[in-house]
Structures are given as structure tokens and as C-alpha cells.
Amino acid sequence: MIMVTCTHSLYVWPVASSASSHDQTPNSMCVELDVSLLPRLCHLKRLEGQSFGFMLTQQSGGNFEISTVELWSPAEAGGLREGDRVLEVNEEDVGHWDFSRVVKKIQSSGFHLFLLVLGRAELQQALSIGLDLQMLAKASKGDGCSRPRLCHIRRDPELGLGMSVASVEAGPKGRYAVSTVPHGPAERAGVHHGDRLIWINGLLVSAITNSALHRTVKRSGDALTVLVVDANSEACYARRKVPILPVMAQGCGLPHSATSMHLVRGDNGYGFLLRQERLAGSRRIVHVLREVDAGSPAAGAGMEDGDLLLAVNGEAVESAEHEDIVQRIRQSGDEVVLTSISVPGRDFFRKLDISPLLFHELTPLTTSAQGGEHFHL
């Protein structure tokens, strides 16, 4: 099938195999499709310590379905329904992902989660007439809609940041366009000339004054982190009434990243100590890797004293109890995969209000099965 999107309608027509069919125009062949078959985008918003309130199940064939939606939960408030087929997570197609990767992507989403879904009845109707689900997903967004980019720009001694910011005159207030120096620091970091500036150092630019924005740029020091999107995609998100957030972004040149280490137990264990500590200047409790023994499996895997533990065997543990984490490591047997980040790295992502796991592919110790799995999120 081929699909064409127009302003108010979606059209499909079969691809004929005969040579004469190529002379037919789309207008003579196309059939209007009920727009109710387009996927829904559900925006789920949760609070600290709260789950999203749904159960994700992997069906036979590797498809992902919402099997339970809790009453009064962020999932229910966001419009998620039992039986929904999940097509995308945070603007990424998950059709070919394994179950564990989808779960980890959702777990690392922080307080905001975007799920593109198709209801059970709509799914059956779409499949019955041979519609491609990926094409339906694209049609629901519009032509040329791209994900935003989270870019880290390092200041150059001569060129500075290699960019300037100016207000966009047309449309709502609080919108800014970026002009870049060709091949300068901003462009090297992934910013394109004409991009729309959405966030700067964790601040939503539409929520601050023009003078505050320019002060932030001037006082940014050696580097600046911005969330940008091209003008066409900005209009696309506005038309869909979808906020542009870092959780849906591609990471470009970010200065810090999480590290996964595969440890195999030696004669004297793994060779490190896990401690629960309070971060200096805050009330936050963290799990810290300490006393890494020279020559130990931990040291050989690259563990650094003072790094913060983020995940065990692909399962996020930042908010877990210390005893539960220790038990998970012990139950892992003679092998374990630990994911960690430096304190400066954790501070960088916390300033942006996103998880350091967001741009890190968590790898579980074992691969998931092809059906029957479920996970509460």
C-alpha cells in the first residue's frame, strides 16, 4: 500500500503490478481512509516516586500491548487504554526492539513519557485492509517531522559558541531562531542554522524573558546545552499540541554518559564496596561504588571509586533501597552488569531534569523471550 497525507484526510491506494497501472494518478486510485485509524499520542506525566500506572505485555510475534491501565493513574489521565498496541516510545519506533529495551526506555523517561499507540479495534481494521503501521505512525505526525536534538556546545576562544539567537516575529511570543557560524562550535555540536531554540541549560526559553535568555547565553561559561528542533518540526509538534521535551531528543555531543561494566566474580569476589551516601549539599541518597581493589574484576572492568550506581543487570536502581540492590547483585551469581556514572555526569543530567540512562542503551545479562512477558511501569 502507498499512503499520502493531506491537510484533513489520509489516502491509500494499492500498488499495482502491471505496467499500465503506472499511468494512473493518485486521484484516480486513492481511497479515503477514516482518520480514526490514525494512532493516538498519549502524554503521561508522573510525580516523584509515582509509577505511570500500566502493565506492558509482549505478545507472540514481538508486539507490545498495554494489558492493564490503573484507575486514577498517569496512564489513564494520559489517555492510555487496555489493548492499545505500542508503536513508538518517545518518538522512536519500537517495532523491531526487544522487550527489555522497550522497558528500559520507558524506565529512563523520568517524569514524562510519550507513547504512540493504536487501539485494538483500530489495529484489527488497519491490518484487515493491509495498512502498514509504520506508515500510519508517520501519517499521524505529518511530513518531515523530526525529533529534537539535545546539543552540548563548547565555547571556542575565537568563535565563541558560534551561534546567535533572535526572536521569531511571526506566531506566538517566546519563540527563538538560531543563526550559526558555518562549521563553528554550534554546528559541530549538531545545531543547524534556522533551528528553533526550545531549552537552554535546562530552562524552557518560552518561559523566560528575552533579557534573561541572553544573560544565560553570556554567563554560560565554557559550554552550553541547548534543545533545538528544525522549524518544520516545531510547527508539526505545535499542530499536534505536543510539548517539545528533552525526553524525546537525540543526544548530540553530550559531555557525560553512563558506563556499563560486565563483571565476572573472582576468587575474592568482584572487588568493590557498595555504599549508601548522602550527596554533599543535598538530602538525596545515592549508591556509591567505593574501595575498588587493584587487580580485581571491578578494576579490570573500568570501575572508578566514587562513581554512582544507576542500574544492575539493566534494571534501574537509583530509587531502590540499598539492601535490595545488594540482594540483586548477590542473586546475579558469578556475573553481573553494573551501570554507573561520575558525580559530575549525574549533576549534568540532573540540571537538565533528565535521567543519565536516557541516552544509554542498557544491556541485560540475559536476553528476553519472544512472548508472554509483562512488566509494570
Side-chain angles (χ1 to χ4, degrees):
M1 308 291 282
I2 294 179
M3 294 195 301
V4 170
T5 55
C6 301
T7 306
H8 301 292
S9 304
L10 175 68
Y11 296 91
V12 295
W13 64 92
V15 180
S17 56
S18 64
S20 62
S21 66
H22 293 286
D23 297 329
Q24 292 177 288
T25 65
N27 287 336
S28 66
M29 301 174 65
C30 65
V31 177
E32 186 173 358
L33 176 69
D34 186 350
V35 293
S36 66
L37 292 184
L38 290 177
R40 310 186 321 273
L41 184 64
C42 300
H43 181 192
L44 282 57
K45 295 173 278 189
R46 69 176 183 88
L47 302 174
E48 183 77 48
Q50 184 184 29
S51 71
F52 287 115
F54 68 91
M55 185 79 73
L56 181 70
T57 300
Q58 184 181 34
Q59 304 294 322
S60 58
N63 301 315
F64 309 111
E65 183 178 287
I66 305 300
S67 55
T68 304
V69 175
E70 297 173 3
L71 291 174
W72 315 112
S73 66
E76 185 185 51
L80 207 59
R81 305 168 192 161
E82 293 183 10
D84 281 343
R85 168 80 68 85
V86 178
L87 305 180
E88 293 184 357
V89 176
N90 294 335
E91 299 288 273
E92 288 193 78
D93 176 26
V94 297
H96 299 291
W97 289 17
D98 62 36
F99 186 69
S100 64
R101 184 180 178 189
V102 176
V103 169
K104 304 309 178 288
K105 183 70 175 180
I106 294 172
Q107 288 180 324
S108 65
S109 295
F111 301 122
H112 294 268
L113 173 65
F114 294 89
L115 297 178
L116 187 70
V117 299
L118 193 60
R120 184 175 289 158
E122 292 79 11
L123 174 66
Q124 292 174 350
Q125 186 178 348
L127 294 178
S128 70
I129 58 177
L131 294 182
D132 181 90
L133 299 185
Q134 283 186 322
M135 296 178 76
L136 275 179
K138 291 180 180 178
S140 70
K141 302 176 185 181
D143 292 333
C145 190
S146 301
R147 292 166 58 199
R149 284 158 276 121
L150 187 65
C151 306
H152 188 72
I153 309 167
R154 300 180 187 276
R155 190 181 295 272
D156 183 90
E158 297 181 0
L159 298 176
L161 295 171
M163 59 174 267
S164 59
V165 179
S167 299
V168 177
E169 298 300 329
K173 293 183 178 180
R175 297 167 59 241
Y176 297 90
V178 177
S179 297
T180 59
V181 175
H183 311 297
E187 285 197 355
R188 292 196 298 268
V191 180
H192 303 157
H193 186 80
D195 274 347
R196 299 300 191 248
L197 180 64
I198 309 299
W199 289 61
I200 182 167
N201 280 355
L203 298 173
L204 182 63
V205 297
S206 61
I208 61 177
T209 63
N210 189 295
S211 58
L213 170 61
H214 286 87
R215 281 198 304 270
T216 301
V217 174
K218 287 182 180 180
R219 299 174 182 176
S220 59
D222 295 332
L224 186 70
T225 305
V226 297
L227 182 70
V228 294
V229 71
D230 64 83
N232 181 68
S233 297
E234 181 198 38
C236 174
Y237 283 112
R239 184 171 60 252
R240 298 162 65 200
K241 299 180 180 179
V242 177
I244 302 173
L245 300 176
V247 71
M248 60 178 66
Q250 305 173 58
C252 301
L254 301 182
H256 301 280
S257 62
T259 301
S260 286
M261 302 165 286
H262 185 181
L263 279 62
V264 179
R265 187 189 298 274
D267 294 337
N268 298 315
Y270 292 120
F272 74 96
L273 179 67
L274 180 66
R275 291 180 53 181
Q276 181 175 279
E277 300 179 9
R278 191 182 301 277
L279 277 179
S282 76
R283 302 177 63 182
R284 184 171 180 81
I285 298 297
V286 292
H287 309 286
V288 188
L289 305 172
R290 294 291 191 192
E291 300 181 25
V292 181
D293 297 334
S296 67
M303 186 179 292
E304 297 283 346
D305 183 87
D307 282 355
L308 308 183
L309 183 64
L310 301 175
V312 176
N313 290 336
E315 296 286 342
V317 297
E318 276 194 282
S319 58
E321 296 292 334
H322 180 76
E323 293 75 13
D324 293 338
I325 300 175
V326 172
Q327 190 66 14
R328 290 190 196 190
I329 296 174
R330 286 174 177 167
Q331 290 176 345
S332 186
D334 293 331
E335 295 182 60
V336 67
V337 175
L338 302 180
T339 304
S340 65
I341 194 168
S342 65
V343 172
R346 189 66 188 89
D347 291 343
F348 171 81
F349 286 103
R350 184 164 293 282
K351 183 179 180 181
L352 299 175
D353 198 27
I354 57 177
S355 168
L357 295 176
L358 185 62
F359 302 104
H360 180 74
E361 289 294 335
L362 285 172
T363 305
L365 200 57
T366 57
T367 57
S368 62
Q370 287 299 305
E373 289 194 273
H374 57 272
F375 205 97
H376 179 266
L377 296 155

